[in-house]
């Protein structure tokens, strides 16, 4: 696998040097990230209809609630914090059951921060 990735990177670099990848359609324009190409077309259509109707997938709703609770935890007094922490644990369990695997938000947060930093960096020419 590593050999394939290295070979692909080498071929891409060679094509860039020859100018074969310049002036491609959409070059210099922002990417349209509203549609997920890994989701089947039928599912994307259903997601779009639900989104337009104000509904979100269960995981998104749970993640929003988790993010809200996490941001409020430090601001709450001890009794409220205890209830919020129990609610957060329940939401994390539900989220893990939905995904079929344990969810580790701290690892995901690190990944997303690294991704945001990488995307905010200078655009290669």
């Amino acid at each position: 696998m590593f050999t394939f990735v290295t070979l692909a990177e080498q071929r891409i670099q060679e094509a860039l040097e020859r100018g074969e990848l310049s002036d491609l359609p959409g070059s210099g324009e922002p990417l349209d990230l509203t549609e997920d190409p890994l989701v089947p077309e039928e599912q994307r259509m259903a997601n779009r209809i639900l989104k337009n109707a104000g509904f979100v997938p269960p995981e998104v709703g749970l993640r929003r609630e988790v993010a809200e609770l996490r941001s409020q935890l430090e601001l709450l007094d001890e009794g409220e914090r205890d209830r919020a922490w129990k609610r957060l644990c329940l939401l994390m369990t539900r989220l893990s059951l939905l995904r079929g695997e344990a969810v580790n938000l701290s690892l995901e947060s690190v990944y997303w921060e690294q991704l945001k930093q990488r995307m905010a960096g200078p655009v290669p020419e």
Side-chain angles (χ1 to χ4, degrees), residues 33-105:
L33 301 176
T34 57
E35 299 290 335
D36 187 350
L38 300 178
V39 175
E41 181 65 33
E42 306 81 32
Q43 184 67 43
R44 280 187 269 170
M45 176 69 78
N47 289 347
R48 193 175 314 119
I49 292 169
L50 289 171
K51 181 180 175 185
N52 290 339
F55 291 97
V56 294
E59 183 173 345
V60 173
L62 284 173
R63 284 181 172 276
R64 283 182 184 164
E65 196 171 346
V66 165
E68 186 177 318
L69 273 174
R70 288 179 73 191
S71 67
Q72 294 175 358
L73 273 177
E74 296 174 6
L75 306 173
L76 301 173
D77 65 35
E78 192 171 329
E80 292 173 330
R81 188 179 308 130
D82 187 47
R83 283 191 300 277
W85 183 253
K86 288 177 183 176
R87 175 80 179 148
L88 184 60
C89 290
L90 173 67
L91 293 172
M92 295 298 295
T93 302
R94 285 185 183 168
L95 194 55
S96 296
L97 289 171
L98 265 176
R99 294 182 88 190
E101 61 185 358
V103 175
N104 186 335
L105 291 179

